[in-house]
Amino acid sequence: GVFRTASQDNMRLTVQPSFEFPFETDFGIEISSQVGGQYDIYFAEESDATDAFASGQRIAPYGRLGIDYEMVKVTEDWMQFLVPSAAITASFFEDDSGNLPNEDARDLEIDVTNYDWVNRSSGTDLVDTGLKAHLGLDWSLKNSQRQLAAAKIGYSRHLAGADFVQENAGHLETSDFLLGDFEFNPTKHLDLDYRFTANARNGDFTRHEVFASLNGDLGSLKASYLYV
């Protein structure tokens, strides 16, 4: 079989078909379902250094069902949007060689932009396995010219099936996350943003990010702070 390790040359061929079926009810509730999969073939150098290559393959089908509802309140001066959402995702992978570890060299960076995706991994090899539930709340306040403030809270929990978090997985101790993103735009030239990630099982914060941007007609000045 093939062993994919850091000390060996390897190649991978990936095919990712997917199908999405959006639907909106008469009450404005949006329902989306998605099915698809990932098929990988790995070609890796044999460990005996004979320049021979072995191959291994895996298949990772997945499904997602999501629902959200946008509520809008409009006055003479501003518009307020509130969007609660929920989703169920499921995925697993089958490895024919038994030698393809479900891991990735990149750190797993889950935030409010991808917490309810089927595969929350930002890498190329890790498959985010198991049955997961996701809840979200998106709020924004705008006037006729720009957005004044926005907030988004996301919660993602592993329910059943194989979990991608393995023993000795570094700083990653859980696949259950609580995430937040808070934006504040006091003037048209100043943008402030704070994001966090927390362990949903014990409430410990694992990531803090602060961004500030000062924008003008001639240029912009940006600053950021990250604590992991």
Side-chain angles (χ1 to χ4, degrees), residues 105-127:
R106 299 186 183 182
D107 287 336
L108 186 64
E109 296 184 9
I110 297 179
D111 58 31
V112 291
T113 64
N114 68 348
Y115 76 96
D116 59 350
W117 291 4
V118 173
N119 195 355
R120 301 169 297 177
S121 169
S122 58
T124 57
D125 291 307
L126 176 65
V127 175

Side-chain angles (χ1 to χ4, degrees), residues 67-69 83-87 115-116 134-138 152-153:
I67 181 172
D68 60 71
Y69 179 62
V83 185
S85 62
Y115 76 96
D116 59 350
H134 319 275
L135 298 174
L137 186 63
D138 197 349
K152 188 168 186 177
I153 299 292

Side-chain angles (χ1 to χ4, degrees), residues 21-226:
F21 309 95
F23 176 75
E24 183 174 352
T25 70
D26 296 336
F27 299 99
I29 299 175
E30 296 184 0
I31 302 172
S32 62
S33 57
Q34 185 180 29
V35 293
Q38 177 174 323
Y39 177 66
D40 301 315
I41 303 177
Y42 284 90
F43 300 92
E45 185 179 357
E46 290 280 22
S47 58
D48 56 9
T50 60
D51 293 330
F53 275 77
S55 64
Q57 55 187 328
R58 69 177 183 179
I59 184 171
Y62 65 80
R64 181 184 187 277
L65 178 64
I67 181 172
D68 60 71
Y69 179 62
E70 183 179 66
M71 295 175 281
V72 182
K73 184 176 181 179
V74 180
T75 69
E76 294 182 358
D77 301 320
W78 46 263
M79 297 179 291
Q80 188 172 193
F81 300 83
L82 185 65
V83 185
S85 62
I88 291 287
T89 59
S91 178
F92 71 93
F93 79 89
E94 189 68 31
D95 168 21
D96 71 337
S97 69
N99 298 317
L100 297 175
N102 193 29
E103 61 184 10
D104 202 281
R106 299 186 183 182
D107 287 336
L108 186 64
E109 296 184 9
I110 297 179
D111 58 31
V112 291
T113 64
N114 68 348
Y115 76 96
D116 59 350
W117 291 4
V118 173
N119 195 355
R120 301 169 297 177
S121 169
S122 58
T124 57
D125 291 307
L126 176 65
V127 175
D128 194 353
T129 53
L131 177 67
K132 300 177 289 294
H134 319 275
L135 298 174
L137 186 63
D138 197 349
W139 171 85
S140 61
L141 180 67
K142 303 177 182 180
N143 61 18
S144 60
Q145 298 178 340
R146 60 186 176 86
Q147 178 175 283
L148 302 175
K152 188 168 186 177
I153 299 292
Y155 173 71
S156 183
R157 182 173 182 83
H158 179 270
L159 299 178
D163 195 343
F164 71 88
V165 175
Q166 303 177 8
E167 188 177 357
N168 300 323
H171 72 280
L172 192 63
E173 300 176 350
T174 177
S175 60
D176 298 345
F177 298 93
L178 179 64
L179 313 108
D181 187 357
F182 302 92
E183 299 179 34
F184 181 51
N185 315 104
T187 73
K188 66 178 182 178
H189 299 295
L190 180 61
D191 299 327
L192 305 174
D193 190 4
Y194 166 69
R195 303 175 188 174
F196 73 85
T197 302
N199 183 328
R201 295 183 182 179
N202 57 25
D204 290 342
F205 284 84
T206 59
R207 191 180 186 93
H208 296 277
E209 296 176 86
V210 179
F211 303 90
S213 177
L214 184 62
N215 306 297
D217 297 333
L218 300 179
S220 62
L221 178 64
K222 297 182 180 180
S224 64
Y225 170 78
L226 169 64

